[in-house]
Amino acid sequence: MRRTQQGTLLVNDSDPGFGELRAGNLGVRLAVSDAEVDAVQALRYRVFYEEMGAHADAETASSRRDRDEFDAVADHLVVVDHDRGEGPESVIGCYRLIRRHAAARLGRWYSAAEYDISRIVAFDGEILECGRSCVDADYRTRGSMQLLWGGIAAYIFKHEVGILFGCASLPGTDLDALADQLTYLASNHMAPEAIRPRALPERYVEMIRKDPASIDVKRTLIDLPPLVKGYLRLGGFVGDGAVLDHQFNTTDVAVLVKTDQVTDKYYKHFERKVGGRD
């Protein structure tokens, strides 16, 4: 066992988990059973397919589960509501976490189907790919998102992750409707070239859709999805080019964060919150 630098969370070095962080009846931790992973996949199906209009193949529609081969090698961060029980029925939010050793088991990263991430993979240190994030409609509050980020912060601190990255989604595939958001992101938050991912040539969509000076920045920031805004608050970056994901009815952007900012800002904030000092 060892103690984190904040002095409050005891973790086992041989276990990928970090215990559980609590805020009232809600908690965040890693899924600990196949039943909880199944609950994660059921939640993802409800959000992605039933709510957001993703297109299900026959197997997905029959099982009512969103799952793929990456689920078997990933760690699954879950937000649970203890008022709903202590098993899979308590899962109300999730985020899929993949480190180097997990990607190596499959020989690829999920994001590599959309982006050239070779510069990130070449980083000398641990990297973490995050994806498949969703929260039950009844729990989409600031507190739930803070729990997710608090869990990510605890996870990356334990595993000494240097770069957090993944694909974040804007709703829909109408590029005209998303022109302000895409242009704003590319004009103001482009990643440094040394770690910049780029959309694969055959999937590349130009993000600068209009004159950046014509954008209502305040309105655009309001319209951005909460997950994307969370990355930006941490000083996050986007990659070069967007990608249309017609299966999930989204327009994807590559996002990445140098994780020292995550631990410094969100982990300490969460400590104050659960300690009653916020």
Side-chain angles (χ1 to χ4, degrees), residues 180-213:
D180 284 13
Q181 296 179 49
L182 292 171
T183 301
Y184 169 79
L185 291 171
S187 301
N188 295 277
H189 299 283
M190 185 61 62
E193 186 173 356
I195 54 174
R196 184 184 303 165
R198 179 179 172 84
L200 299 177
E202 66 274 17
R203 306 196 67 177
Y204 186 97
V205 173
E206 175 60 56
M207 294 177 68
I208 302 292
R209 314 298 302 179
K210 60 193 301 185
D211 179 359

Side-chain angles (χ1 to χ4, degrees), residues 55-68:
H55 304 292
D57 58 24
E59 180 181 353
T60 300
S62 175
S63 67
R64 299 178 64 80
R65 299 292 187 273
D66 170 62
R67 55 191 175 202
D68 62 22

Side-chain angles (χ1 to χ4, degrees), residues 23 26 79 139-150 270 273:
L26 299 183
V79 178
Y139 292 85
R140 288 175 194 159
T141 64
R142 182 181 179 187
S144 296
M145 290 303 299
Q146 287 177 333
L147 270 171
L148 275 175
W149 282 111
F270 189 80
K273 185 176 181 65

Side-chain angles (χ1 to χ4, degrees), residues 32 67 85 96 131 136 153 156 262:
V32 296
R67 55 191 175 202
R96 186 167 71 183
D136 183 275
I156 66 175
V262 179

